[in-house]
Structure formats: structure tokens, C-alpha cells
Amino acid sequence: RKVPPPPPKAVAASPTTAAIYDAEASAYDAAYADSLVSRAVGFDSLRRSVATRAHGDVLELGVGTGLNLPFYEPASVRTLTGIDASSGASPPSLACSSWRGEEPAICRSGNPPPEP
């Protein structure tokens, strides 16, 4: 079995950015997780449509509370890594608990490193 690559190093989000994301996390789930608003706007079907096309090694930037994770197909996604600026009330590590793949998902707080 091939060993997955090491997780990306966490880069700390600014305290202001992390505080904003933390404050919005619970309200976001209430408004967009299988809600009337989400269904009316089409977010649920969009999440499903995009996530089911993913395959191989997946990096989700802005994993947040993990609303997309249940839609990834474990048979197609080899590894799943999520990064999010949140760090307090709803850390990305909690989002990873909804992943049902063979390999555990890796979720980290912080901003992604800048592109080279």
C-alpha cells in the first residue's frame, strides 16, 4: 500500500481572519447545510455535483465545517486533505470526522502556502 504524502504544514491565519471564520461557522451550517435556502439556491446539488467528480488526491481549500466531505466518493478519492482559516469553535479537524474513506482525512487550520 502506498503511503500518503505528509500533510501540508499549517500556516497560521491572522487572528482577525480566524476570528471571523470561527464566528460564522455555526451560523453557516444552520443556513447552508441541507436547508431550505441551500436547496432553493442549489448549493446542495452543486456540492454533490462537484465533489462526486473528484478523484485521486484531493485538497479542499476552505474545508470549513466539512459540508462537502460527505459527497466525495471514497472509491474515487485516494486521500483527502482540507485546510481552513478557522481554528476555534469549529476547527477543520472536526470537519474531517464526516469523511468515510478508507484512509483518514487530514484537516489543518491555517492558510495555504503561497503558490511558487
Side-chain angles (χ1 to χ4, degrees):
R1 178 176 256 225
K2 188 176 178 185
V3 177
K9 292 182 180 177
V11 178
S14 75
T16 303
T17 301
I20 292 169
Y21 279 92
D22 289 342
E24 295 297 323
S26 60
Y28 186 88
D29 271 5
Y32 297 105
D34 194 30
S35 67
L36 178 61
V37 171
S38 183
R39 287 190 299 275
V41 176
F43 287 146
D44 292 339
S45 61
L46 180 60
R47 287 178 198 285
R48 180 174 282 108
S49 174
V50 171
T52 56
R53 295 181 200 173
H55 62 278
D57 298 319
V58 174
L59 171 62
E60 183 168 326
L61 300 176
V63 68
T65 58
L67 292 180
N68 295 337
L69 273 56
F71 298 117
Y72 289 114
E73 296 291 339
S76 302
V77 174
R78 187 173 60 159
T79 63
L80 177 63
T81 302
I83 298 175
D84 197 85
S86 297
S87 61
S90 183
S93 58
L94 292 179
C96 282
S97 64
S98 64
W99 170 241
R100 59 190 197 288
E102 191 173 314
E103 296 294 328
I106 301 167
C107 290
R108 300 275 187 257
S109 296
N111 294 322
E115 290 188 37

